[in-house]
Amino acid sequence: MAETAAAPHVATPSTLLPIVGKTEIKPTWCPGCGDYGVVAAIEMALKRLKIPSKDVVICSGIGCSSNLPHFLSSYGFHGLHGRSIPVAEGVRWGNHGLTVIATGGDGDGFGIGLGHLVHAMRRNVKLTYVTMDNQIYGLTTGQASPTTTMGHKTKSTPTGCIEYPLDPIAVALAAGATYVARGFSGDVKHLSDLVTGAIQHKGFGFVDVFSPCVTYNKINTFDFFRQRVYKLESSGHDPSDIVQAWQRSLEWGDKIPIGLFFKTEKPTYEDLEEVLSAGPLSQQPVGLKGREKILDEFV
Ligand SMILES: Cc1ncc(C[n+]2csc(CCOP(=O)(O)OP(=O)(O)O)c2C)c(N)n1
Ligand code: SF4
Ligand SMILES: [Mg+2]
């Protein structure tokens, strides 16, 4: 096969094509689950950006939250626990014209999948990652997760959780993520603005969402967050300042910030990687480039 540089795939610009909406599959989430707000916010963001269904792929792991791709009329990949990111990277590198969103829970992203997550962040892969952070393992009926608060009595911590919780915002800042935000599923419009920004961002767009599990987490409830959250946008925060972002990430207690913590521009993995920068993998010749030269060297 000829070894020529490929033309990049381009997403269909026509707004006449069907835009992402709900499917006929009704969510199986418990009534009142925070994840309803997240699916509504993602749908709202994709509608606002007028991206046709055929150009969107939503990848997830396993968990209540990871059922999300079934409920939107985009393409979807409901994969393995903690493995949404490698699938999403593969999809995006296969076709640069696609809008690729990875979703999942706090267990999925910050437990078993944490390794994939921090490396995708530091590589600045062009993806959107939305975590439905309910601070519990919902699907497996209420065990402690990496974001469960100290002292919380759960099925796996009957005398109270003795592990310090991981802070997703601080992890993202430390890993070099270029768009770091936190939303609340009780404020769908604000969350949708953050997701829209993440999709538009040229690089890794991370949105951690307080998405209460009304069945297994009786501490971090909608009321808990309603009483505490305040918006960074209305508090003089400068999202281009990493030091301010670090300071805000430390806030937890009576006042908890939501909004855009940090945003910066730097080259993406696709810009820097030799093969990907020539175009999507689906348009590239199969096999080793310059294989005769390599074989000559070793044979
Ligand atoms: C490799 C593997 N380990 C463990 C499980 C069991 N498991 C399924 S979902 C889950 C955790 C779900 O919690 P989270 O990701 O926070 O999602 P939620 O249900 O809270 O939305 C676990 C441990 C699994 N399916 N696969
Ligand atoms: S168990 Fe919790 S996370 Fe799962 S659907 Fe019910 S409320 Fe949502
Ligand atoms: Mg969870």
Side-chain angles (χ1 to χ4, degrees), residues 221-237:
T221 60
F222 276 99
D223 277 347
F224 173 95
F225 289 112
R226 273 197 200 102
Q227 286 158 18
R228 289 168 175 79
V229 294
Y230 76 93
K231 289 181 183 152
L232 288 169
E233 296 78 10
S234 29
S235 68
H237 176 64

Side-chain angles (χ1 to χ4, degrees), residues 36-281:
Y36 287 98
V38 181
V39 75
I42 294 176
E43 182 188 353
M44 205 185 274
L46 290 167
K47 281 194 166 133
R48 194 187 303 175
L49 295 169
K50 297 189 168 55
I51 307 174
S53 281
K54 72 172 204 54
D55 290 334
V56 179
V57 184
I58 305 182
C59 306
S60 66
I62 295 291
C64 295
S65 43
S66 287
N67 291 335
L68 186 144
H70 295 269
F71 313 134
L72 289 176
S73 64
S74 62
Y75 287 101
F77 193 109
H78 187 181
L80 295 172
H81 191 39
R83 301 292 179 264
S84 64
I85 294 268
V87 173
E89 284 178 330
V91 172
R92 172 70 199 178
W93 294 339
N95 184 348
H96 297 175
L98 295 173
T99 295
V100 186
I101 303 173
T103 59
D106 39 305
D108 205 79
F110 311 133
I112 191 169
L114 185 67
H116 295 296
L117 182 58
V118 293
H119 291 293
M121 285 171 165
R122 79 182 173 86
R123 289 177 193 141
N124 200 27
V125 180
K126 172 70 192 93
L127 289 178
T128 300
Y129 187 69
V130 180
T131 323
M132 284 155 269
D133 187 356
N134 54 18
Q135 300 169 260
I136 203 88
Y137 286 177
L139 187 73
T140 47
T141 70
Q143 297 80 14
S145 87
T147 55
T148 298
T149 43
M150 287 280 274
H152 189 159
K153 290 183 181 166
T154 71
K155 255 186 198 166
S156 59
T157 58
T159 56
C161 183
I162 57 162
E163 295 175 18
Y164 300 99
L166 178 147
D167 174 356
I169 299 297
V171 168
L173 293 171
T178 51
Y179 181 102
V180 180
R182 179 157 67 198
F184 171 38
S185 61
D187 189 340
V188 173
K189 168 72 180 59
H190 180 249
L191 177 57
S192 154
D193 290 344
L194 296 173
V195 174
T196 304
I199 294 171
Q200 288 176 312
H201 178 63
K202 190 175 169 285
F204 196 92
F206 173 58
V207 186
D208 187 44
V209 187
F210 293 140
S211 181
C213 170
V214 295
T215 304
Y216 296 111
N217 188 338
K218 303 294 185 188
I219 293 181
N220 309 106
T221 60
F222 276 99
D223 277 347
F224 173 95
F225 289 112
R226 273 197 200 102
Q227 286 158 18
R228 289 168 175 79
V229 294
Y230 76 93
K231 289 181 183 152
L232 288 169
E233 296 78 10
S234 29
S235 68
H237 176 64
D238 175 3
S240 69
D241 184 339
I242 186 98
V243 176
Q244 283 190 32
W246 274 112
Q247 283 164 342
R248 299 279 185 169
S249 79
L250 299 175
E251 291 181 22
W252 187 273
D254 290 344
K255 285 177 79 60
I256 303 174
I258 55 173
L260 182 59
F261 283 74
F262 183 63
K263 182 175 175 341
T264 190
E265 298 282 335
K266 60 183 184 190
T268 66
Y269 191 74
E270 287 161 23
D271 293 333
L272 298 173
E273 207 281 331
E274 189 188 342
V275 176
L276 292 173
S277 65
L281 295 179

Side-chain angles (χ1 to χ4, degrees), residues 28-40:
T28 47
W29 293 319
C30 306
C33 175
D35 298 351
Y36 287 98
V38 181
V39 75

